[in-house]
Amino acid sequence: MHLTTAQRLDRLKVRTAELSHWRERATLAIENWSFDGERIAIGQAWPHRKGVVHFAARASAPAGWPLDETRLQLDLGGESLITLGFGEGQEERFGLDPYHQEFPLKGRNLAISTDSVARFPFGEPNRQPKLNRAQLAWLDMPVHRLHLLLRQIAEAVGALGEHEAVPHILDAAEAALRSLDWPSATEPYISRTANAEWQRKIWELPELVQNPAALSDRERESVAEAHEQLLARLRTLQQRYPQNGELLLTGHAHIDLAWLWPYDETRRKMRRTFHTALSLMERSPDFRFNQSTAQYYAQIEADDPDLFARIKERVADGSWEVIGGMWVEPDTNMPTGESLVRQILYGQRYFEKTFGVRHTICWLPDCFGFSGALPQLLRQGGIESFFTIKVNWSETNRFPYDLFWWEGLDGSRVLSHVFNNPMEGYNGFVQADCFLPTWKNFRAKTLHDTSLLAVGYGDGGGGVTPEMVEREEQLRAFPAIPKARWGKVGDFFTSAHLTASEKRLPTWSGEMYLELHRATLTSQSGVKRLHRRAERALITAETLASIAHMAGAAAPVSLEADWRLTLKNEFHDILPGSSIREVYQDAERELSEVIDHAKTVQRQAMDAIASLLPRGDLADALVVVNPSLDRRSFNAVLADGTILSTADSIEPLSARVFDRAALKPATGLRATVDRLENEHLAAVIGADGAVQSLIHKASGREALAEPANQLWVYPVDKPRNWDAWDIDADYAEVGIRLDKPESIELVEEGPHRASIKVVHRYRDSSIVLHYVLTANSRRLDIETSVDWHDRRALLRSLSPVAIRSRTATFECAYGIVSRPTHTNTSWDAAMFEAAAHRFIDMSEPDFGVALLNDAKYGHSARDNVLGISLVRGPIYPDPLADEGEQRFTYALMPHTGEWHSGGVREEAEDLNQPLIVAAASNLAEASFAALDLTGTPVALSTVKPAEDGDGLVLRVYEPAGRRGGLTVTAAKGWQIGEAITLMEEPQTRDAGPDILPFEVRSWRVRRG
């Protein structure tokens, strides 16, 4: 009776497992261990698990053991960087983790020392760490090789399924096993197999012998012969059943800059992982490894110069591929466009300075969606290719392409690749049952003959194992499976670009929205606000210092160090709110330091500007600087708390001196306990604490269909997975409207500003709203203070507006995204929570309503309701996420026309960066304009010092999708120089209008 294929496969696995018990010919325990200088025995618990601890021991391999067959086997109870000293200054270091526990030796006598933490790779604490295993082992190499080969055959057979090669592969494996001369003596056999799964289940095993006999020479010969004959039969079968498909393997170790561990642990993970990768390169000339992230290299350069020097050597010889071109692998939904520019600018400059190369590939395997601004910025940064796999995570709709052109908002394109490996994604394995589904899932195989596959343990680092390298060599002989060889990602994309030049590839236009992890737009909203403030403070500091320089002050200093800290905290598990509390303690401290320093630079620049303006007899003057490209109404809060809202205005990128005593409020501000009104708006606050009416006076239109700023709490914000990451689509099935406020009172009634205070309470949390209208304002601000003490509940604001539109406008980096307000398709329905920067807007051709904010990113636009997510309370991975007090402002703004003609972006700019005001004396009423831009309306990205010290850099962008002429004029004594890229190099640009839709343009500004 013949066995079925499944039965034969089961038998093969059992027979293969038997071999593993003879893999080690002999072992020698290492007993003389110390833990932070005190004795510790094998099997003993760590005396403590605080911080980084240090193990040490000495050992000597027996004289009869061949050194190349001897291994150090360690399980210390956590992750470690181990240093093996062999005398005469010879050392080698490795990372130790659950997947890297066996190490080769360069000498017979060794000193072992470690830096260890009682943690597993994903940050999980080992609460009862022990020194589990420490021994030298003499490997039976023929057994090791045959055992691995048979495991790979079992994996291949399982993956090939009904392929006609399967019976032949099984025949070859069974013949190899039948050819073995295998030991059977009772005592050594039982002792060797005592650790087998079925043996461990026995009530009581017989007495075991110590150091049971290994294979005899003849038995070992039979194993070696079986291995060689099996490889030969596989190669013969490969001629009949050639390898099908091709994968380029890149060794990889995705290391999250911070996630379930703080950054200090990441610094240790980097050293562990990089030492391991270097050790593999030393022993395998074919192995290739890639690592992105300039921040990592800069950190290693500071922490471990010797390791860094070795990495540079391997980069030079081509074994180690530096990749990515960005400072970190950032979130791309929330950073402003200028932050994305700096990711590329500082990343590329670091890589070029350090390794002599700029990168042409953007490597972002793990980000939660991708801004449509990226392709243009990548191309300006010299990057023409893009890689991710994260779009495969979308839960509702399948992303349609895996080799394609990604077209940005402005029409720029980068060649993009996505591989779909169901076995841990970018943390793939060197296994036939990983290769086969990855190749099967590659939909562009009719266009291009190769797909990428990144392999190696990751997220928590670790990377490729020695077994993976050995597996690749064996799999070269296999029939029917895809061909897979180590290679460089750059070579893959070079080949893919050649294909793209010859064949028509599909195009994906605009953002790549991830239908998952939508809560990352809201979780840890306190750090999101600090990040927004840090970005804005840096841009404003550079702009003010540049204006001062153009007025006659010294050249501004570089703020790159502050930018680097900000960029670091844009990492895709920090800014999205998906890390542990310790990460946010670091982020809060670092971002606060950035803000404080940037504010200092701003004050210094204002002092410089004031000192350079014409002298006069104004004893109590105000110097007001407009750091934007929008003409601004005079709204300001002075250092002494005085609020001013006048009919005056300030021109773009200019400084103007006012006589404080002569400033008068704009007329028409009136307030009662339920009504705020000025010349532009009339708002009524109802007994429920919501906005009952919002009249736009110029048009006479009511902006609201129902009460606006309805506060809703959703107490079942309990996603089925990924607590801090996700919001389930049906979260709103249970909602509680906060419509019975504890109090409503008029708290400000001045000529410049009026405010109504509304206090709500939800269980243990309080929400205090100040509805604010200034004398000249075109928006109703809602200054909000939340004291949040509830878990797994979501607070949102909903505003039904008197608008009918099939789309809503969401601001993104350097532009906008139009999103559906309906749910006609599954793609539309899946976008129930989406990213916006400073505003969303819903408009008819002649009228619209915008919702502005200074700190939030999660928004919705369904039917006629504008929504904004304010606070969540997830419990994993930070049980106290967003606990306590938070302050932020959002605003409602009705307007004539569509958003771009109604001044929405300009008001959002003003909300996020008010005018800068400083008190001064002995000045004349005067003004100074640094730059003047006329023609097609554009928005400011930055005015900054040039990286090479040659003048300043002006960067603007077209925000609405228009094109046309643009004239840029500089102040007297200055001139507009050549157009440049974001890398601040001359830009070659096709003929056409001076500014194109969503284009980002930069120029040098030099003394004339």
Side-chain angles (χ1 to χ4, degrees), residues 693-997:
S693 173
L694 185 60
I695 301 294
H696 181 258
K697 288 190 171 182
S699 64
R701 282 190 60 164
E702 169 63 68
L704 307 180
E706 298 175 42
N709 193 38
Q710 300 176 23
L711 293 184
W712 286 82
V713 176
Y714 301 97
V716 193
D717 183 21
K718 301 175 180 180
R720 65 191 183 281
N721 199 0
W722 301 105
D723 200 35
W725 290 257
D726 283 349
I727 299 177
D728 283 348
D730 61 353
Y731 75 92
E733 290 296 313
V734 178
I736 300 169
R737 185 179 169 195
L738 305 184
D739 57 1
K740 296 177 177 59
E742 290 185 350
S743 62
I744 302 177
E745 57 181 320
L746 180 66
V747 292
E748 291 181 80
E749 195 178 359
H752 291 273
R753 169 176 150 134
S755 175
I756 296 171
K757 178 182 177 182
V758 178
V759 178
H760 288 282
R761 180 166 294 279
Y762 171 75
R763 296 183 180 176
D764 289 340
S765 301
S766 63
I767 302 100
V768 179
L769 310 175
H770 284 84
Y771 290 103
V772 174
L773 193 63
T774 58
N776 64 15
S777 182
R778 298 175 183 274
R779 65 179 193 256
L780 176 66
D781 287 354
I782 306 166
E783 297 179 357
T784 307
S785 175
V786 175
D787 193 13
W788 194 250
H789 299 283
D790 288 278
R791 297 295 90 196
R792 307 191 84 182
L794 169 63
L795 175 66
R796 304 194 81 233
S797 166
L798 300 180
S799 296
V801 296
I803 298 292
R804 178 171 177 79
S805 176
R806 290 176 55 80
T807 61
T809 299
F810 288 56
E811 189 190 33
C812 67
Y814 289 147
I816 53 99
V817 179
S818 293
R819 304 191 192 279
T821 59
H822 53 78
T823 57
N824 284 358
T825 71
S826 59
W827 295 84
D828 302 331
M831 213 174 288
F832 60 85
E833 182 89 349
H837 282 199
R838 298 171 298 183
F839 69 86
I840 61 173
D841 180 87
M842 199 179 294
S843 291
E844 296 169 353
D846 60 346
F847 186 79
V849 182
L851 176 62
L852 286 53
N853 77 87
D854 73 350
K856 301 298 170 184
Y857 295 93
H859 292 77
S860 61
R862 280 288 180 253
D863 299 322
N864 67 327
V865 180
L866 300 176
I868 184 169
S869 295
L870 304 177
V871 182
R872 300 183 72 230
I875 60 172
Y876 179 81
D878 178 7
L880 298 178
D882 279 334
E883 183 78 0
E885 189 170 338
Q886 301 178 54
R887 295 178 182 275
F888 48 86
T889 299
Y890 52 105
L892 289 166
M893 180 190 169
H895 57 85
T896 54
E898 297 187 67
W899 71 270
H900 47 81
S901 60
V904 171
R905 183 198 53 76
E906 292 85 344
E907 285 292 332
E909 176 80 21
D910 184 72
L911 175 62
N912 281 265
Q913 179 54 73
L915 298 171
I916 308 296
V917 182
S921 59
N922 301 319
L923 294 179
E925 289 194 54
S927 63
F928 169 77
L931 292 158
D932 181 54
L933 284 83
T934 57
T936 306
V938 293
L940 181 70
S941 185
T942 192
V943 188
K944 65 178 285 289
E947 295 297 320
D948 60 6
D950 183 13
L952 303 172
V953 170
L954 166 66
R955 184 161 27 257
V956 304
Y957 66 98
E958 196 293 307
R962 295 171 289 206
R963 72 177 69 206
L966 182 65
T967 301
V968 186
T969 307
K972 184 178 180 181
W974 291 81
Q975 64 180 6
I976 304 301
E978 70 273 18
I980 55 176
T981 67
L982 64 82
M983 294 302 299
E984 303 182 11
E985 296 170 341
Q987 182 183 42
T988 302
R989 190 169 168 276
D990 293 337
D994 295 322
I995 196 80
L996 297 170

Side-chain angles (χ1 to χ4, degrees), residues 28 60-67 70 108-109 136 138:
L28 177 66
S60 296
W65 293 12
L67 198 59
T70 302
R108 196 164 296 282
N109 300 310
L136 295 173
W138 179 8

Side-chain angles (χ1 to χ4, degrees), residues 268-284:
R268 293 187 283 271
K269 285 178 178 289
M270 284 189 280
R271 294 182 69 199
R272 295 192 290 260
T273 301
F274 295 173
H275 276 294
T276 296
L278 289 170
S279 75
L280 294 174
M281 290 173 190
E282 185 173 331
R283 292 166 175 86
S284 171

Side-chain angles (χ1 to χ4, degrees), residues 163-446:
H163 195 287
E164 62 178 288
V166 164
H168 303 289
I169 297 172
L170 285 171
D171 284 347
E174 290 166 348
L177 286 167
R178 283 193 293 267
S179 73
L180 296 181
D181 182 1
W182 202 251
S184 59
T186 299
E187 282 191 343
Y189 194 99
I190 292 173
S191 297
R192 281 269 172 187
T193 59
N195 283 327
E197 182 181 359
W198 65 89
Q199 295 289 75
R200 293 198 302 267
K201 297 176 181 179
I202 293 174
W203 180 279
E204 192 70 47
L205 283 171
E207 185 174 349
L208 304 177
V209 299
Q210 297 298 314
N211 294 314
L215 298 184
S216 68
D217 290 344
R218 175 66 202 115
E219 291 164 343
R220 186 169 298 106
E221 269 182 39
S222 76
V223 174
E225 290 169 1
H227 175 263
E228 292 308 311
Q229 290 172 4
L230 179 53
L231 274 178
R233 288 192 64 175
L234 290 172
R235 293 189 185 101
T236 300
L237 282 172
Q238 191 183 92
Q239 295 175 12
R240 181 176 177 184
Y241 303 106
Q243 293 190 332
N244 178 35
E246 186 166 349
L247 300 173
L248 186 146
L249 300 180
T250 176
H252 184 48
H254 186 69
I255 305 174
D256 284 313
L257 187 139
W259 180 27
L260 303 177
W261 52 86
Y263 181 65
D264 281 349
E265 181 62 20
T266 304
R267 291 165 69 174
R268 293 187 283 271
K269 285 178 178 289
M270 284 189 280
R271 294 182 69 199
R272 295 192 290 260
T273 301
F274 295 173
H275 276 294
T276 296
L278 289 170
S279 75
L280 294 174
M281 290 173 190
E282 185 173 331
R283 292 166 175 86
S284 171
D286 296 327
F287 175 60
R288 297 293 180 268
F289 179 79
N290 90 71
Q291 180 63 56
S292 74
T293 306
Q295 168 81 31
Y296 290 168
Y297 293 103
Q299 191 70 67
I300 289 294
E301 189 175 11
D303 289 352
D304 194 336
D306 291 340
L307 171 60
F308 188 70
R310 292 180 61 206
I311 290 172
K312 289 186 71 174
E313 291 173 0
R314 288 302 185 176
V315 172
D317 73 19
S319 304
W320 185 301
E321 186 177 15
V322 289
I323 201 168
M326 303 178 89
W327 190 254
V328 301
E329 293 179 12
D331 174 84
T332 75
N333 286 317
M334 291 176 278
T336 190
E338 188 61 32
S339 280
L340 296 175
V341 165
R342 302 303 173 97
Q343 288 283 359
I344 299 167
L345 173 65
Y346 295 137
Q348 288 282 52
R349 283 176 61 84
Y350 177 85
F351 283 120
E352 184 172 37
K353 176 184 175 182
T354 307
F355 299 105
V357 295
R358 289 186 188 174
H359 297 310
T360 61
I361 302 160
C362 179
W363 181 269
L364 294 179
D366 192 29
C367 301
F368 311 149
F370 302 95
S371 169
L374 268 180
Q376 176 180 192
L377 304 184
L378 295 176
R379 292 306 297 257
Q380 285 203 27
I383 296 172
E384 58 188 15
S385 304
F386 175 80
F387 170 79
T388 188
I389 73 153
K390 204 66 173 188
V391 291
N392 291 327
W393 284 42
S394 284
E395 287 192 315
T396 306
N397 299 285
R398 186 183 183 192
F399 193 80
Y401 312 127
D402 47 23
L403 184 64
F404 59 100
W405 290 108
W406 179 22
E407 184 178 87
L409 298 176
D410 73 314
S412 297
R413 290 183 171 193
V414 289
L415 185 62
S416 303
H417 180 49
V418 176
F419 67 71
N420 186 359
N421 165 29
M423 295 182 70
E424 301 299 326
Y426 49 77
N427 300 321
F429 300 110
V430 182
Q431 297 179 190
D433 51 351
C434 181
F435 296 173
L436 278 156
T438 301
W439 177 253
K440 179 181 178 181
N441 291 338
F442 182 41
R443 283 167 285 174
K445 59 173 68 74
T446 58

Side-chain angles (χ1 to χ4, degrees), residues 246 248-250 286 288 318-319 321-323 360-361 385 415 448-452 485-499:
E246 186 166 349
L248 186 146
L249 300 180
T250 176
D286 296 327
R288 297 293 180 268
S319 304
E321 186 177 15
V322 289
I323 201 168
T360 61
I361 302 160
S385 304
L415 185 62
H448 190 63
D449 60 3
T450 307
S451 177
L452 271 176
R485 301 290 185 271
W486 299 114
K488 297 176 74 171
V489 179
D491 292 339
F492 168 83
F493 274 106
T494 296
S495 174
H497 274 280
L498 180 60
T499 292

